[in-house]
């Protein structure tokens, strides 16, 4: 059970589903949490300096302004990641890894610098000074993310982003060649680096290395609890799977598709693409604020609710592209539906 979760976490590091960039872990923790503040309406200096405004209020307005800048950088990171998996020529892989590493270092410095620290300290422990529950949530998340990210050096942030990019390219090459050895080395490096990042950013969870990595993906979840969840699932799913396999073995026809839906070369790629676009549009996906492309592994990415991109892939198995489009559209609809108001995004 825990191995399944480890695989899921790894995939988010090297073949992602994270919304704001292509790898959930490639954006710093604070940048990820800053999505809560993305697209906030500009705050004028006169508003910040309003006479009678409390010190926590002024700090919060400053914090929002800084988080908007951080989020703009994380959106650029998201576009770089999307391009890497969809449009980038293979010969650009090495330079892209360096680009993403350099940007991650800038993003980390912006997320943990003096200005950000002062704004964070100005609101730390002052949630109750604000009546709006959304503001309280934003403060809690920003403080929590800052404390974790500030423990990491900018060099480590750069190394993490660059290695993730290199690992993704190695994974794609290994998949194409069906040769795991092409990826094995980078996989080992990823595991070792993620353990280091988890220990640095979440020192209280050192006793169980997986807890620190898991917390970055599912905050508050622990390996011990996952073991309990998977044990319960196993107890119900294994007998069900055995019954299904027994039924299929005794009567193969129950698993056979209708002749009109049989897989094969008759499923033209262009026709599948047109069907996928039509289905996505009918589900409510806005192509004015997104696009549908093809990638090695389907994912949803982009740069915020005004630019939500998704991918799928097509083959003689029509259900693969069709199902992936519907799946990714679910992620994309959520992202396109996020509140872009002054305090509400992400809540």
């Amino acid at each position: 059970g825990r191995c399944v979760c480890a695989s899921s976490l790894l995939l988010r590091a090297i073949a992602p589903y994270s919304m704001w960039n292509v790898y959930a872990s490639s954006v710093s923790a604070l940048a990820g949490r800053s999505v809560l503040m993305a697209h906030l309406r500009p705050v004028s200096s006169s508003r910040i300096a309003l006479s009678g405004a409390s010190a926590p209020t002024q700090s919060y307005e400053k914090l929002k302004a800084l988080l908007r800048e951080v989020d703009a950088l994380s959106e650029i990171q998201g576009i770089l990641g999307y391009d890497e998996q969809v449009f980038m020529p293979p010969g650009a892989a090495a330079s892209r890894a360096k680009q993403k590493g350099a940007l991650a270092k800038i993003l980390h410095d912006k997320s943990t610098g003096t200005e950000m620290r002062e704004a964070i300290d100005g609101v730390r422990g002052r949630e109750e000074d604000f009546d709006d529950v959304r503001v309280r949530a934003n403060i809690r998340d920003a403080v929590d993310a800052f404390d974790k990210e500030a423990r990491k050096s900018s060099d480590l942030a750069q190394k993490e982003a660059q290695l993730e990019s290199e690992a993704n390219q190695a994974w794609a090459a290994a998949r194409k060649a069906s040769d795991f050895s092409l990826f094995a080395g980078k996989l080992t490096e990823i595991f070792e680096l993620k353990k280091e990042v988890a220990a640095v950013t979440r020192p209280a969870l050192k006793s169980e290395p997986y807890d620190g990595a898991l917390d970055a993906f599912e905050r508050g979840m622990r390996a011990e609890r996952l073991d309990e969840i998977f044990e319960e699932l196993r107890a119900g799913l294994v007998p069900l799977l055995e019954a299904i396999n027994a039924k299929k073995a005794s009567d193969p026809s129950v698993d056979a598709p209708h002749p009109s839906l049989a897989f094969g070369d008759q499923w033209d790629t262009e026709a599948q693409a047109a069907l996928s676009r039509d289905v996505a549009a009918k589900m409510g996906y806005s192509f004015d604020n997104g696009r549908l492309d093809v990638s090695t592994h389907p994912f949803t990415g982009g740069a915020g609710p005004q630019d939500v991109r998704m991918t799928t892939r097509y083959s003689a198995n029509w259900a693969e592209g069709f199902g992936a489009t519907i799946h990714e559209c679910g992620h994309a609809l959520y992202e396109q539906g996020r509140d872009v108001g002054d305090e509400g995004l992400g809540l």
Side-chain angles (χ1 to χ4, degrees), residues 55-238:
T57 297
Q58 293 184 36
S59 293
Y60 179 64
E61 295 296 345
K62 179 61 175 177
L63 175 62
K64 288 199 296 184
L66 291 171
L67 288 176
R68 284 197 297 271
E69 294 176 6
V70 168
D71 187 71
L73 292 173
S74 70
E75 290 181 349
I76 295 171
Q77 200 170 41
I79 296 300
L80 281 177
Y82 191 88
D83 176 81
E84 180 180 15
Q85 295 200 68
V86 178
F87 303 116
M88 186 188 75
S95 62
R96 179 54 50 86
K98 292 179 181 178
Q99 292 162 8
K100 293 179 75 175
L103 181 57
K105 186 172 184 177
I106 294 171
L107 185 57
H108 178 273
D109 290 344
K110 185 70 176 178
S111 301
T112 61
T114 301
E115 276 193 298
M116 184 67 79
R117 182 179 296 277
E118 290 175 351
I120 288 291
D121 287 344
V123 299
R124 187 185 298 275
R126 305 301 295 268
E127 295 97 314
E128 298 307 316
D129 290 359
F130 298 88
D131 294 329
D132 193 329
V133 294
R134 298 170 301 174
V135 173
R136 296 180 185 180
N138 288 340
I139 291 174
R140 286 195 302 270
D141 273 9
V143 171
D144 178 71
F146 174 85
D147 288 343
K148 291 171 180 173
E149 189 67 12
R151 298 184 186 115
K152 182 167 60 177
S153 69
S154 58
D155 287 341
L156 183 57
Q158 180 177 18
K159 180 181 179 180
E160 185 179 20
Q162 185 165 333
L163 179 58
E164 285 164 357
S165 182
E166 293 170 352
N168 179 73
Q169 296 302 322
W171 166 79
R175 185 183 187 279
K176 183 177 182 179
S178 191
D179 183 356
F180 179 74
S181 67
L182 299 178
F183 178 50
K186 290 298 180 183
L187 177 62
T188 298
E189 290 183 52
I190 279 285
F191 268 113
E192 293 305 313
L193 183 62
K194 291 301 179 182
K195 286 192 289 186
E196 179 184 355
V197 171
V200 168
T201 59
R202 294 160 175 82
L205 302 178
K206 276 185 176 180
S207 59
E208 167 53 74
Y210 187 56
D211 280 349
L214 179 59
D215 187 72
F217 170 62
E218 183 72 20
R219 187 171 55 181
M221 183 59 72
R222 300 292 178 263
E224 183 178 10
R225 175 57 181 149
L226 280 182
D227 287 341
E228 295 172 352
I229 293 172
F230 280 115
E231 185 61 35
E232 183 176 347
L233 286 172
R234 185 181 295 109
L237 288 179
V238 171

Side-chain angles (χ1 to χ4, degrees), residues 33 38-39 80 125 146 152 164 213 242 336 338:
R33 294 303 176 192
H39 304 283
L80 281 177
F146 174 85
K152 182 167 60 177
E164 285 164 357
E242 290 175 346
Q336 287 188 342
R338 294 173 78 99

Side-chain angles (χ1 to χ4, degrees), residues 32-45:
R33 294 303 176 192
S34 73
V35 165
L36 292 170
M37 308 297 183
H39 304 283
L40 297 172
R41 290 195 292 272
V43 180
S44 67
S45 58

